[in-house]
Amino acid sequence: HEICKFLGDEEKHIFLRYAIAKIKKLPTISDLSAENNVYNDLMKSFENVDNISFIEIAKKCIKYKKYDLAERFLKNEKSILVKIPQYLELGNWEKALELSLKSCDLNVIRVVIDKIYKVLEQRDFNEIFAKFPQAHSAVINYYKSIGKYDELEKYLNYQKDQEELLFISLENFFKSQTLEERKK
């Protein structure tokens, strides 16, 4: 801290470079205790540094395949919107979805749903969203927007949402042009 002040350098840039250097030095297959030591050392060093970017550190951890360490640094970040892409990159779908729902931003929720949909099989997708009933209407709207009505029906059957299935059937009935389509 004193050297940074003497040289006139901004502390957070110096400490960010220091953190990246410590992360780089970790062996490719490091044990949990080594990662814990690095994490504790860095957190102790950051106590007197204002506005340190834990996201930048987490990104470097991901780059060097230190995923557990990345998640630990992400927990210290205050901004929800900044954390979401990192959790998506880590494949921590539930945490990304939980944070997007906390943001209450429909665009963010839709992006998270889209990313999860493109990566996972439908069965896994349905299992994750079964744990988050507050995302139910957003998932329904997502399926409708991409025109995957057969997958929407499977999702609603998985969720045991008979009421929504009825409304979709009624919608399809009134949209149909021919008698055969209406019978179907």
Side-chain angles (χ1 to χ4, degrees):
H1 293 286
E2 292 176 21
I3 293 172
C4 290
K5 287 178 185 176
F6 178 76
L7 295 174
D9 288 337
E10 198 170 333
E11 285 183 320
K12 75 178 188 179
H13 293 299
I14 300 297
F15 278 95
L16 192 61
R17 294 172 99 185
Y18 170 70
I20 293 167
K22 288 202 63 118
I23 292 165
K24 274 185 184 179
K25 284 185 180 180
L26 283 171
T28 307
I29 303 174
S30 61
D31 60 354
L32 196 55
S33 65
E35 287 186 10
N36 282 338
N37 290 339
V38 168
Y39 176 79
N40 292 333
D41 289 345
L42 290 176
M43 290 308 291
K44 192 179 289 185
S45 299
F46 297 152
E47 285 176 354
N48 298 323
V49 181
D50 295 328
N51 300 323
I52 193 76
S53 174
F54 291 107
I55 289 298
E56 289 298 317
I57 297 169
K59 284 181 182 179
K60 292 300 180 180
C61 290
I62 293 169
K63 180 180 176 182
Y64 297 112
K65 297 178 178 26
K66 308 294 180 216
Y67 303 118
D68 293 332
L69 197 56
E71 286 202 35
R72 290 182 75 185
F73 281 115
L74 279 175
K75 287 178 184 174
N76 293 303
E77 183 61 39
K78 291 174 179 68
S79 172
I80 290 175
L81 293 176
V82 176
K83 290 180 184 183
I84 293 171
Q86 305 312 315
Y87 281 115
L88 288 172
E89 192 171 330
L90 287 169
N92 191 338
W93 311 119
E94 292 179 14
K95 188 67 174 177
L97 183 58
E98 177 187 327
L99 292 174
S100 70
L101 291 169
K102 280 184 183 178
S103 76
C104 297
D105 186 339
L106 292 176
N107 292 324
V108 173
I109 295 169
R110 181 176 164 68
V111 167
V112 171
I113 292 171
D114 184 56
K115 179 69 174 177
I116 296 170
Y117 175 79
K118 289 179 179 175
V119 173
L120 295 180
E121 297 290 325
Q122 186 175 11
R123 182 180 49 82
D124 299 330
F125 179 87
N126 290 343
E127 287 176 10
I128 287 175
F129 283 92
K131 298 174 187 174
F132 295 93
Q134 61 271 39
H136 186 65
S137 62
V139 173
I140 292 170
N141 290 333
Y142 175 76
Y143 273 127
K144 286 180 179 179
S145 71
I146 62 172
K148 300 285 186 171
Y149 291 99
D150 55 332
E151 291 182 21
L152 174 58
E153 283 186 37
K154 290 177 186 175
Y155 170 75
L156 292 172
N157 281 322
Y158 184 84
Q159 297 289 337
K160 296 180 176 78
D161 189 349
Q162 300 303 318
E163 184 178 338
E164 194 65 40
L165 281 168
L166 174 67
F167 287 131
I168 289 173
S169 297
L170 287 172
E171 258 180 60
N172 292 337
F173 177 78
F174 289 114
K175 285 181 185 176
S176 57
Q177 302 294 325
T178 65
L179 182 60
E180 285 299 315
E181 288 177 354
R182 287 190 176 184
K183 284 181 180 178
K184 183 182 171 185

